[in-house]
Amino acid sequence: MTFSELVKARYSVRKFSDKPIEPEKLNAVLEAARLAPTAKNLQPVHVYVVASPQGMEKMRTLTPCHYGAPVVLIFAKNTQEEWHHPQEDLTSGSEDVAIAATHAMLAATDQGLGTCWVKFFVP
Ligand SMILES: Cc1cc2nc3c(=O)[nH]c(=O)nc-3n(C[C@H](O)[C@H](O)[C@H](O)COP(=O)(O)O)c2cc1C
């Protein structure tokens, strides 16, 4: 797949099969996230892989947008590690997270895996 075919192929999946994800495919997705650029290369992004039955049960209580995914990746930033502007009240961790998650989503498409970016969590 060329890059332009890849970006056209990606779409939000809202119904997943319960087929387990091959570890090498998951590793390729995580590696793409790891290689994403971050402000000043501070790498404040942390990715939590939720795949256990207990973890999935917890995810179902946190969001209605679970869609039966066999694996959930939680992208987070460490606010102690993100870049802070020296004079202004500005940080770059959220951008770093978004870039890493986008890398991961496109890598998943490249591996033949479906994804859906979910922001809606029950407060
Ligand atoms: C920041 C962001 C938050 C999103 N949150 C959700 C969400 O909570 N639930 C959901 O089903 N889709 C969510 N989406 C997916 C969008 O609805 C979807 O990307 C958009 O409708 C375009 O469709 P496509 O991904 O199939 O191209 C989110 C996407 C982004 C970029």
Side-chain angles (χ1 to χ4, degrees):
M1 221 181 332
T2 65
F3 185 73
S4 57
E5 287 167 342
L6 180 71
V7 293
K8 279 182 198 153
R10 186 216 56 80
Y11 67 97
S12 294
V13 172
R14 294 193 174 89
K15 187 173 183 184
F16 289 87
S17 77
D18 53 10
K19 195 175 155 216
I21 293 178
E22 295 88 337
E24 60 274 17
K25 292 187 178 180
L26 181 57
N27 283 339
V29 171
L30 295 172
E31 181 64 358
R34 191 184 71 80
L35 293 173
T38 58
K40 222 174 175 190
N41 201 23
L42 290 173
Q43 303 178 27
V45 181
H46 294 259
V47 185
Y48 299 87
V49 180
V50 183
S52 68
Q54 301 93 314
M56 284 311 173
E57 202 44 53
K58 179 78 180 163
M59 290 308 305
R60 281 191 196 91
T61 67
L62 296 177
T63 177
C65 301
H66 181 277
Y67 305 130
V71 172
V72 172
L73 301 184
I74 300 174
F75 285 80
K77 66 173 179 177
N78 183 326
T79 55
Q80 302 301 309
E81 296 169 354
E82 69 184 332
W83 179 78
H84 291 252
H85 190 287
Q87 284 94 30
E88 308 282 336
D89 184 21
L90 289 172
T91 57
S92 292
S94 298
E95 288 95 322
D96 295 337
V97 164
I99 295 166
T102 304
H103 267 219
M105 233 169 34
L106 291 173
T109 306
D110 194 38
Q111 294 296 324
L113 302 171
T115 61
C116 186
W117 185 309
V118 169
K119 184 163 176 155
F120 182 64
F121 286 86
V122 181

